[in-house]
Amino acid sequence: MDLDLRLVRYFVTVADELHFGRAAAKLFISQPTLSKQIRKLEADVGGALLVRDSRHVALTPRGDRFLHLARQLLATADQMLREPAPHHLRIAHIFELDTSRVVADAFLAAHPAVRLVQSQMDSARQLTALLEGHLDVAIIRVTGAMKAAHPAGWRHRLLRLEPFRLVGRPGDPRRAAVSVHERPIEVFADAPGTALYNVHGRYLSSLEQHTGLALRWLGNPGTFDTCHAALTRAPDSAYLLEFDSYARRYEDLGIPTSRPQELQPVYPWSLAWREGERPEIVRTFLEVAEELAARLHWLHPERADGVPLWAPPEDLAVATG
């Protein structure tokens, strides 16, 4: 039986989004149709590629292997169908976090003739796509595990230390700083032991161990609107530990945010690119990103007076090493 490239593209989109609704919207088809097509692909290849329940989608071990081959197949097919564009650059974003988007906007403002091809992938998938030639630049959290799994073929440089803030509940008083021990701390992330526990989750686990906090893991709804809806429906008092990218959006909606009093967690974002001679367009993108980081003081984030910056020790060693 011949493999249907359309179904392979559907599968890769679901694997990138890990959410049937978002994938269906991106593909401009209905969610039931997408589910039916994925089941057909699984029947064609003779095994399950995805595990899904009412809340989560995850790759099976076979699905993970299939994804690697699927990307290669689609890249080959794309090359056969059209000549490579000399003035395009491929990057990816992580949900609606703003670091990569701010860089993308600055790059396009300076170089409007470049076609920026943008998609959504988490840090681990971005690195895989970068090494396989499907992305030209990645903006990711680099971990020791990534370096151990891929010791060669790529380079990276620290771009931003994004601070976390504590988001209160609607109606809370505005306070510049609050204690992380004052209320329970919630996080929108998938907990250890779940199928979607990832790079971000491991960061939060390290924070738990360092502070002795017992975080409330709420799962990862992805979009800001979904996170905001969950927060406004919450029945009890707590603080949501959130990236500055999202915290500012909560502030814009009238929900107060505060800086932590005991320590200032920061999330290290790094630029990553393939090793070897860099195309001019990649060099230009890296230069724009670094100039922007210097102008916005991304490596020197704001914090409450006298509060130390914190990130997992491995993160800072890897990011600056």
Side-chain angles (χ1 to χ4, degrees):
M1 177 181 295
D2 293 333
L3 196 59
D4 188 334
L5 285 182
R6 178 176 57 93
L7 301 187
V8 175
R9 290 187 190 278
Y10 287 176
F11 167 75
V12 170
T13 303
V14 174
D16 286 342
E17 297 293 332
L18 292 177
H19 190 284
F20 272 84
R22 290 196 298 270
K26 197 170 184 178
L27 292 164
F28 301 102
I29 62 175
S30 70
Q31 186 171 334
T33 297
L34 178 58
S35 296
K36 181 179 179 181
Q37 296 301 317
I38 294 298
R39 287 195 296 271
K40 182 178 186 305
L41 176 64
E42 290 176 321
D44 289 345
V45 301
L49 302 175
L50 296 164
V51 177
R52 52 266 212 205
D53 57 30
S54 59
R55 292 185 61 241
H56 293 111
V57 178
L59 292 167
T60 65
R62 179 171 185 170
D64 196 54
R65 295 191 296 272
F66 187 85
L67 179 62
H68 175 77
L69 296 173
R71 292 193 195 281
Q72 292 180 332
L73 176 63
L74 294 178
T76 300
D78 288 344
Q79 289 174 1
M80 294 172 69
L81 289 172
R82 61 177 179 269
E83 288 293 319
H87 300 297
H88 79 260
L89 185 79
R90 298 163 299 172
I91 67 169
H93 306 293
I94 300 177
F95 293 116
E96 297 175 28
L97 298 174
D98 73 359
T99 301
S100 56
R101 287 178 166 81
V102 172
V103 175
D105 289 345
F107 177 77
L108 287 175
H111 304 279
V114 174
R115 179 182 171 226
L116 203 57
V117 181
Q118 305 173 71
S119 55
Q120 287 194 29
M121 303 178 199
D122 66 16
S123 290
R125 295 194 187 287
Q126 281 197 48
L127 178 57
T128 298
L130 179 74
L131 293 173
E132 292 177 354
H134 306 306
L135 290 179
D136 298 304
V137 182
I139 297 178
I140 58 178
R141 176 190 171 211
V142 177
T143 68
M146 290 177 177
K147 298 278 286 183
H150 305 285
W154 61 296
R155 303 281 301 279
H156 63 88
R157 186 178 303 144
L158 186 61
L159 176 68
R160 182 183 187 186
L161 297 173
E162 181 174 4
F164 283 87
R165 293 163 71 179
L166 295 169
V167 181
R169 299 295 199 229
D172 278 351
R174 296 188 177 277
R175 299 161 62 190
V178 298
S179 171
V180 296
H181 302 290
E182 181 178 302
R183 297 180 182 176
I185 303 294
E186 299 176 336
V187 291
F188 283 123
D190 293 290
T194 62
L196 299 183
Y197 182 62
N198 60 10
V199 168
H200 178 48
R202 287 189 284 275
Y203 175 100
L204 294 171
S205 291
S206 183
L207 178 63
E208 274 190 319
Q209 293 165 10
H210 178 77
T211 60
L213 294 170
L215 300 176
R216 290 182 180 175
W217 298 73
L218 303 180
N220 194 343
T223 66
F224 174 79
D225 287 344
T226 309
C227 294
H228 174 249
L231 182 141
T232 56
R233 291 195 301 264
D236 58 352
S237 179
Y239 287 120
L240 173 66
L241 184 69
E242 191 56 276
F243 286 96
D244 188 69
S245 302
Y246 276 16
R248 293 179 184 275
R249 296 178 67 176
Y250 285 111
E251 281 277 3
D252 291 342
L253 293 171
I255 299 174
T257 71
S258 306
R259 300 197 183 280
Q261 286 180 348
E262 292 81 7
L263 77 172
Q264 177 57 70
V266 290
Y267 202 82
W269 295 109
S270 292
L271 292 160
W273 62 94
R274 282 187 297 280
E275 201 167 33
E277 185 175 352
R278 288 175 285 176
E280 181 179 353
I281 195 169
V282 171
R283 291 199 303 272
T284 302
F285 185 88
L286 298 177
E287 289 169 0
V288 168
E290 290 169 351
E291 289 170 2
L292 182 69
R295 188 167 73 250
L296 297 179
H297 307 290
W298 271 357
L299 293 178
H300 304 281
E302 295 181 5
R303 50 186 148 159
D305 291 343
V307 171
L309 297 181
W310 179 88
E314 175 214 60
D315 275 45
L316 295 179
V318 169
T320 57

